[in-house]
């Protein structure tokens, strides 16, 4: 009787663990959720949901918003708010993803039109994301900045 109770308890714990693991998103799924929502607002909510408090966010040297920003508030202030106010339809369209352990790379194309000049651009880019325990802890942008800079002149 005691063996049966222990066996049943062990099975319950094992099955519960399997159930919980099935519901946990993979690193790739987390990153995809920041790009592939139905709206940009949904993408932003997913980013905020998974970002670590002290995320390190690096925009490439030569890019208009170059620098490393710590924390989502600083990223929002120095990157997202500026992109939203200075550009029309600025977006990154991922072409594909590469995932390995704690890193996910998204590569694709930036597009947009600079409001002050009315000039549009297309630029290839890659984003390298690093995650720890289901949280985004680091972002680094690699981009052909010249088409972006040209659109601002």
């Amino acid at each position: 009787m005691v063996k049966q109770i222990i066996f049943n308890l062990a099975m319950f714990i094992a099955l519960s663990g399997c159930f919980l693991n099935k519901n946990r998103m993979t690193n790739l799924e987390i990153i995809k959720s920041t790009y592939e929502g139905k709206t940009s607002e949904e993408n932003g909510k997913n980013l905020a949901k998974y970002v670590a408090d002290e995320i390190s966010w690096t925009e490439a040297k030569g890019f208009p918003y170059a620098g490393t920003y710590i924390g989502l508030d600083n990223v929002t202030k120095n990157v997202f708010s500026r992109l939203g106010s200075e550009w029309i339809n600025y977006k990154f369209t991922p072409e594909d993803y590469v995932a390995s352990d704690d890193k996910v790379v998204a590569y694709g194309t930036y597009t947009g039109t600079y409001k002050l000049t009315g000039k549009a651009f297309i630029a290839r880019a890659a984003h390298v994301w690093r995650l720890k325990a289901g949280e985004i802890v680091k972002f680094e942008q690699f981009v052909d900045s010249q088409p972006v800079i040209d659109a601002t002149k």
Side-chain angles (χ1 to χ4, degrees):
M1 175 84 166
V2 174
K3 286 183 182 181
Q4 185 63 39
I5 292 171
I6 293 171
F7 174 78
N8 288 343
L9 183 58
M11 289 302 293
F12 174 76
I13 292 169
L15 291 174
S16 296
C18 290
F19 176 75
L20 292 173
N21 287 337
K22 282 186 179 181
N23 290 330
R24 184 169 176 222
M25 290 180 69
T26 66
N27 289 340
L28 178 59
E29 290 168 332
I30 289 169
I31 297 307
K32 280 185 172 185
S33 78
T34 70
Y35 294 115
E36 298 180 6
K38 293 178 181 151
T39 64
S40 59
E41 290 79 19
E42 185 179 335
N43 294 342
K45 285 180 185 178
N46 286 333
L47 177 63
K49 179 179 177 180
Y50 293 108
V51 73
D53 290 339
E54 296 298 313
I55 186 170
S56 174
W57 188 284
T58 301
E59 296 284 309
K61 185 176 180 180
F63 195 70
Y65 314 117
T68 298
Y69 308 101
I70 306 300
L72 188 56
D73 287 343
N74 283 322
V75 175
T76 299
K77 175 184 169 188
N78 293 295
V79 181
F80 297 135
S81 292
R82 292 182 65 193
L83 289 171
S85 66
E86 297 172 15
W87 296 86
I88 299 166
N89 296 325
Y90 187 98
K91 67 178 180 174
F92 176 74
T93 303
E95 180 181 317
D96 204 357
Y97 303 88
V98 179
S100 178
D101 298 324
D102 66 345
K103 292 182 187 82
V104 177
V105 177
Y107 61 93
T109 305
Y110 281 129
T111 55
T113 302
Y114 195 63
K115 286 182 181 179
L116 292 178
T117 63
K119 293 180 184 177
F121 79 96
I122 298 172
R124 295 293 287 162
H127 297 160
V128 178
W129 300 86
R130 187 158 190 195
L131 297 94
K132 183 177 182 181
E135 283 191 324
I136 302 167
V137 295
K138 188 172 183 180
F139 168 91
E140 186 172 4
Q141 172 201 56
F142 295 86
V143 61
D144 177 6
S145 295
Q146 195 60 54
V148 182
I149 298 298
D150 290 347
T152 65
K153 295 180 181 180

